Amino acid sequence: MLTILFDGIAYGMLLFILALGLAVTMGLMNFINLAHGAFAMVGGYITVLLMQKAGVPFLLCLPLAFLGSALLGGVLERTLYRPLYRKPHLDQVLFSIGLTFMAVAAVDYFVGSTQQILHLPDWLRGRTELGEGAWTLGMGHYRLFIIAVCAALTIVLQAVLTRTRFGARLRASVDDQRVAAGLGINVNVVFLSTFAFGSGLAGLGGALGAEVLGLDPAFPLKYMIYFLIVVAVGGTSSITGPLCAALLLGIADVAGKYYIPKMGAFIVYTLMIVILVWRPQGLFVRQGGKA
Amino acid sequence: MHKRTVLHAAVAAALLSTAGLAGAQQAPFKIGLILPMTGQQATTGRQIEAAAKLWMAQNGDTVAGRKIELIVKDDTSLPDVTRRLAQELVVNEKVDVLAGMGITPSAMATAPIATQSKTPLVVMAAATSSITEASPFIVRTSFTLPQVSVALADWAPRNGIKNVVTLVTDYGPGLDAEKFFKSRFEFNGGKVPESLRVPLRNPDFAPFLQKVRDLKPDALFVFVPSGAGAAVMKQFGERGMDKAGIKLIATGDVTDDDQLNDMGDVALGVVSSHHYSAAHPSAANKKFVEAFQKANKAMRPNFMAVGGYDGMRVIYEALKKTGGKGGGQALVDAMKGQIFESPRGPVFIDAQTRDIVQNVYLRKVEKKDGQLWNAEFDVIKDVKDPGKSK
């Protein structure tokens, strides 16, 4: 039972880091970016290709995946996304979903459509077991690693958003662009760096997730629904919301598939509907501002 | 609009069959090969196309005085596209034979066109049992999932495996595999305490594998589409299930020759049952694998390739038998009952079901010369598709 809980937490953490960038762009910047999964896929492919073709060690690939997708995100923000900030949401949705399809086709063309297989270093492969009988806790080392990385990132992010000057500027820019600009905040730079950071997080999530979720060109379409559920349930105005939502969904999904395998695939959706009926704005809503 | 297109197709098809007879001797013999060349199933298309071209390179492009023309179309594994392409091939190109079919829905969508236009449809990949029943013009040269699952269910109880949990992907072929494995295994005195079905778009196998671990069966039977197979194997190893005394047994899709090498050592020791392994120790297969790798930059042929290769042979032989005349019904009749030595071993096209009868081999993944291979260690001879026993 504890093992199930552990697997659920690891899976939830993975969903969290994958969806976090989306929560940032969607909640903080008020831009519906359905191409988010494409950035995650880019991160995954950077990792796989670097490891396979250049023999770069796995741990070094993770920051590279982050930087690569962040760079791509920055470039695209500057060239394609910025003109769309003031457009209606429908335009943004159509634009970003088009971008997703292009990314899928491009990866298919350049790398091929087969499932990519990651070869982890040996120390990440094992498994530790604690306890006896029904209370056995089996922890895969890789899942432990995911939890550690995600927890560290969450703490850092929360601190950046609430404690630093950049966080304050970002929140100000989001709440009222004109006033923020009047106060001497360079809104464009703030948005550019935020978007790049969000894309980088997606890339990191993709790199971490390639092992557990699998990686092929259909990745962004396959998991888009999960990212959206996390963001919808968690609300988009903070990072605690998506974190709780991701953990809840991860554990519910894993436990549901374990205890009632025949129903398992639907538990996530049921849970989402129940939560959204109960709290249409998501689990946590920041008071004030435009939630 | 749509009705009209169908009508056009029907009229054109009718004209085709009369026109075909008149100018048969001179016109080239056209084979319309519809395959997924891009998208999720692209490897299937690449393997079959390479194999079909290899067959033509080895056996010439003239049969009984007629030049063979191969027209390859990409259906991106969308059944409605397959159907449209098949219609175009029959009406515009006036193909003599349709072939390919990467996935079951594609074959099913094309079946009515084969029936209406009396065009033989040689299925080279799709493996759901009921396909050959969808049209009297379908001939299959790949395999069926019941065929390979049942062989495994016969082998397991004889080798100390009495208690098996099944894990399949929740779609046509998966359900076939589950049903036929379970019923035969239970018939042989085995027990199946739990049958798990994984959604087609499943993010994480952890809960299913943990469930299996807690149930502690002698073995876990797996069928998942070939890409997902590596993930299952990896997580199986990482969860320490082999150390807990649970064996992994699977249909050969999971240890697909095309990807086996990339899977790495996690695949070692996995027992699978399938009709073809690139390591099949026969002279015919050695020649086939060598020629295939030479023509395709060291790409290893898999069970898809052998389905395409044998499909071409069946078409060639049928054309020879009709003396180059062709004609839908005559070709299908000539395909029925063909017996020949394929790279996979002896095979036979059953005249009643138009499905392939073949040996099913039990293999274990082994390392040889730094590469991973499905090494065969047992065989169940002449397995007829059990899905059509009634």
Side-chain angles (χ1 to χ4, degrees), chain A residues 36-62:
Chain A
H36 186 72
F39 291 106
M41 176 175 68
V42 168
Y45 272 98
I46 288 177
T47 309
V48 167
L49 292 179
L50 279 179
M51 283 180 76
Q52 282 175 357
K53 302 265 146 73
V56 180
F58 180 67
L59 282 188
L60 191 60
C61 284
L62 293 180

Side-chain angles (χ1 to χ4, degrees), chain A residues 55-281:
Chain A
V56 180
F58 180 67
L59 282 188
L60 191 60
C61 284
L62 293 180
L64 288 175
F66 177 88
L67 288 177
S69 352
L71 194 70
L72 183 70
V75 171
L76 288 182
E77 198 273 349
R78 187 74 195 79
T79 50
L80 296 176
Y81 279 87
R82 193 170 294 175
L84 279 152
Y85 282 152
R86 285 161 200 286
K87 292 274 163 60
H89 280 166
L90 183 62
D91 290 11
Q92 299 175 350
V93 165
L94 288 176
F95 161 77
S96 53
I97 206 146
L99 206 62
T100 309
F101 279 109
M102 283 166 69
V104 170
V107 168
D108 196 337
Y109 181 79
F110 287 109
V111 194
S113 65
T114 42
Q115 188 100 19
Q116 298 294 328
I117 298 160
L118 215 60
H119 293 287
L120 287 179
D122 282 333
W123 60 272
L124 276 175
R125 272 206 199 135
R127 179 181 169 85
T128 311
E129 287 203 4
L130 300 171
E132 296 268 319
W135 295 98
T136 309
L137 171 62
M139 296 181 293
H141 292 169
Y142 186 67
R143 282 169 201 261
L144 214 53
F145 177 72
I146 290 179
I147 294 180
V149 171
C150 296
L153 263 174
T154 314
I155 293 166
V156 170
L157 263 178
Q158 182 67 25
V160 168
L161 274 181
T162 54
R163 300 276 167 86
T164 63
R165 184 171 280 255
F166 179 79
R169 281 182 176 163
L170 174 61
R171 282 175 289 139
S173 312
V174 169
D175 279 349
D176 199 320
Q177 285 195 26
R178 269 175 50 203
V179 174
L183 288 171
I185 295 171
N186 191 337
V187 176
N188 277 344
V189 172
V190 170
F191 274 20
L192 174 70
S193 38
T194 308
F195 190 87
F197 190 73
S199 311
L201 279 180
L204 181 62
L208 280 172
E211 166 74 12
V212 176
L213 305 176
L215 185 67
D216 59 51
F219 186 91
L221 299 170
K222 228 166 158 179
Y223 296 113
M224 185 162 72
I225 195 87
Y226 283 89
F227 309 151
L228 289 174
I229 291 178
V230 169
V231 175
V233 170
T236 50
S237 51
S238 66
I239 62 170
T240 8
L243 175 66
C244 294
L247 286 177
L248 195 63
L249 292 169
I251 295 169
D253 195 29
V254 169
K257 281 175 178 161
Y258 181 85
Y259 288 108
I260 18 176
K262 292 207 166 57
M263 266 285 298
F266 298 102
I267 297 231
V268 169
Y269 303 105
T270 320
L271 195 65
M272 175 188 75
I273 291 167
V274 170
I275 292 179
L276 287 183
V277 167
W278 173 49
R279 301 198 68 143
Q281 298 294 331

Side-chain angles (χ1 to χ4, degrees), chain B residues 47-71:
Chain B
Q47 288 269 354
I48 294 181
E49 190 197 20
K53 292 207 161 132
L54 177 66
W55 173 267
M56 290 180 72
Q58 287 176 336
N59 294 278
D61 59 356
T62 315
V63 176
R66 285 184 72 177
K67 197 154 171 62
I68 305 283
E69 197 181 309
L70 189 68
I71 307 166

